[in-house]
């Protein structure tokens, strides 16, 4: 040290660094266990315990070691397969539902029957059964079915004519244009109808080709008053009636025609009530195809008054022309026009 109290720095070789203490063996073992885990406690002279000793060990999420080994409790390959199968099932179910609805609508549209009057178009009729199935096959009537199935001739006469639905009686006419009271010989009206039997049992009735008679197809027959003297098979359908007036409707005497929309045709085919028309002397022999209906029948065409009842038009070369806007006054709905055909009640 110098006289003024400061240490003297000698310019010589730098001092050596302090010695590094030896690593602690316990510290190395602690670090190894912390990051690598405990070493196995078994040696080569003793095998590890069997797996069954650990089968009951429960993990932190409540899953046993045996379940983990078997793939339970984890999203393995089996879970994805089940998800794919479930999705495929849902898609197929939706496709099947859509196909079923489409086929059902087609079957419904294809089962609509037709019913018309003379040269008239169909306005509606209710079918007894569907004429098409979901498989596309068309059902057929039961063969050799018992009564009332068969082909029948209904021999009737025009009993009464009502013209109250129209302000001009000349616009409503009934074939054969003469009642029994006017002329028994000129009032005869014959209908050839076919009754088909279907599983159920169920029955439908259809007309045959006849330009002077009503035309309809596959109309349901209902049995009414079963077991009573008035027991009968009944049907009803709606059609358009076309009439050629019996008198001129225009000042220039033009040809005209009138239509009655929503005209109802209904009939009753009795199973116990007797008929007395035509007389035995005029009944004739039964045909090869059609047999005479053995009981009473009643056939009626009826429509109520209202707007467009009737709607009359001029005709040119058989085609519908301008509508007549004068000369026809609408009548109340309760006023009826009708044509009634029966085969009973003839005075003896």
């Amino acid at each position: 040290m110098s006289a003024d109290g400061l240490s003297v720095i000698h310019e010589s070789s730098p001092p050596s660094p302090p010695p590094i203490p030896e690593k602690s063996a316990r510290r190395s073992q602690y670090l190894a266990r912390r990051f690598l885990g405990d070493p196995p406690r078994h040696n080569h002279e003793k095998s590890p315990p069997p797996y069954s000793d650990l089968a009951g060990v429960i993990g932190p999420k409540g899953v046993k070691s045996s379940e983990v080994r078997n793939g339970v409790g984890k999203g393995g390959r089996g879970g994805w397969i089940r998800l794919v199968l479930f999705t495929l099932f849902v898609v197929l179910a939706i496709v099947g539902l859509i196909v079923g609805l489409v086929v059902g609508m087609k079957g419904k549209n294809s089962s609509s029957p037709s019913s018309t009057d003379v040269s008239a178009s169909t306005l509606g009729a209710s079918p007894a059964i569907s004429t098409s199935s979901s498989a596309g096959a068309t059902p057929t009537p039961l063969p050799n079915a018992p009564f009332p199935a068969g082909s029948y001739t209904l021999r009737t006469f025009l009993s009464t004519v009502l013209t109250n639905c129209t302000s001009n009686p000349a616009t409503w006419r009934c074939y054969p244009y003469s009642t029994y009271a006017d002329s028994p010989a000129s009032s005869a009206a014959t209908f050839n109808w076919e009754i088909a039997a279907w599983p159920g049992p169920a029955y439908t009735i259809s007309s045959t080709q006849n330009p002077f008679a009503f035309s309809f197809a596959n109309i349901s027959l209902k049995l009414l008053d079963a077991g009573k003297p008035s027991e009968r098979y009944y049907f009803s359908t709606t059609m358009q009636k076309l009439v050629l007036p019996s008198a001129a409707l225009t000042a220039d005497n033009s040809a005209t025609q009138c239509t009655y929309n929503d005209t109802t045709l209904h009939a009753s085919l009795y199973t116990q009530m007797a008929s007395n028309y035509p007389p035995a002397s005029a009944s004739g022999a039964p045909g090869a195809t059609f047999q005479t209906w053995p009981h009473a029948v009643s056939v009626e065409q009826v429509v109520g008054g209202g707007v467009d009842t009737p709607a009359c038009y001029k005709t040119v070369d058989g085609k519908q022309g301008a509508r007549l806007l004068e000369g026809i006054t609408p009548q109340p709905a309760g006023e009826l026009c009708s044509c009634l055909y029966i085969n009973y009640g003839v005075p003896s």
Side-chain angles (χ1 to χ4, degrees):
M1 181 176 292
S2 63
D4 54 3
L6 298 177
S7 298
V8 178
I9 300 175
H10 299 277
E11 294 182 0
S12 61
S13 61
S16 60
I20 299 175
E22 296 182 359
K23 294 182 179 181
S24 173
R26 292 184 177 180
R27 184 171 180 271
S28 300
Q29 294 177 0
Y30 169 77
L31 293 176
R33 291 179 179 178
R34 178 172 179 83
F35 294 100
L36 302 179
D38 292 335
R41 300 178 180 273
H42 310 285
N43 53 36
H44 65 281
E45 296 179 353
K46 184 178 181 180
S47 60
Y51 176 79
S52 59
D53 293 347
L54 302 176
V57 176
I58 300 177
K61 294 186 178 181
V63 181
K64 295 182 179 181
S65 60
S66 59
E67 294 177 344
V68 173
R69 183 171 181 265
N70 294 328
V72 179
K74 62 180 181 178
R77 183 179 303 172
W80 285 105
I81 293 176
R82 287 191 294 270
L83 178 59
V84 171
L85 291 178
F86 176 77
T87 303
L88 180 61
F89 173 79
V90 172
V91 172
L92 291 177
I94 295 175
V95 172
L97 178 61
I98 295 175
V99 172
L101 290 175
V102 172
V103 173
M105 291 300 295
K106 289 183 178 179
K108 182 178 179 180
N109 292 335
S110 63
S111 63
S112 299
S114 61
S115 60
T116 60
D117 197 0
V118 181
S119 303
S121 60
T122 302
L123 292 185
S126 57
I129 63 170
S130 174
T131 56
S132 62
S133 63
S134 59
T138 301
T140 57
L142 298 176
N144 303 321
F147 181 85
S151 300
Y152 298 97
T153 293
L154 282 64
R155 302 180 184 276
T156 69
F157 59 86
L158 179 60
S159 174
T160 57
V161 177
L162 296 179
T163 60
N164 298 332
C165 72
T166 174
S167 60
N168 189 340
T171 61
W172 178 268
R173 304 180 68 192
C174 303
Y175 177 84
Y177 316 117
S178 179
T179 64
Y180 187 88
D182 296 332
S183 173
S186 301
S187 63
T190 300
F191 308 103
N192 291 326
W193 292 349
E194 297 177 337
I195 298 177
W198 307 83
Y203 297 96
T204 59
I205 189 167
S206 302
S207 64
T208 58
Q209 296 294 333
N210 187 337
F212 300 103
F214 317 116
S215 180
F216 54 89
N218 295 328
I219 308 300
S220 297
L221 277 179
K222 299 179 181 179
L223 180 63
L224 303 179
D225 295 342
K228 299 180 180 180
S230 59
E231 180 183 89
R232 62 198 181 276
Y233 287 96
Y234 173 85
F235 77 89
S236 176
T237 187
T238 304
M239 60 180 58
Q240 182 188 73
K241 180 179 176 66
L242 175 64
V243 175
L244 301 180
S246 59
L249 302 182
T250 64
D252 59 358
N253 202 25
S254 298
T256 56
Q257 65 181 21
C258 298
T259 58
Y260 291 80
N261 296 324
D262 298 326
T263 301
T264 299
L265 171 68
H266 60 87
S268 294
L269 283 69
Y270 293 88
T271 61
Q272 300 185 35
M273 183 185 299
S275 66
N276 65 349
Y277 180 89
S281 58
S283 59
T289 303
F290 294 87
Q291 54 183 319
T292 301
W293 182 263
H295 306 285
V297 297
S298 173
V299 181
E300 185 177 23
Q301 209 176 23
V302 61
V303 65
V307 178
D308 296 333
T309 303
C312 298
Y313 303 84
K314 289 184 177 181
T315 57
V316 180
D317 296 331
K319 297 181 181 180
Q320 181 174 292
R323 180 171 177 177
L324 303 182
L325 301 178
E326 298 179 357
I328 303 295
T329 303
Q331 301 300 301
E335 298 295 333
L336 302 179
C337 292
S338 72
C339 306
L340 176 62
Y341 304 86
I342 57 177
N343 66 348
Y344 58 87
V346 176
S348 57

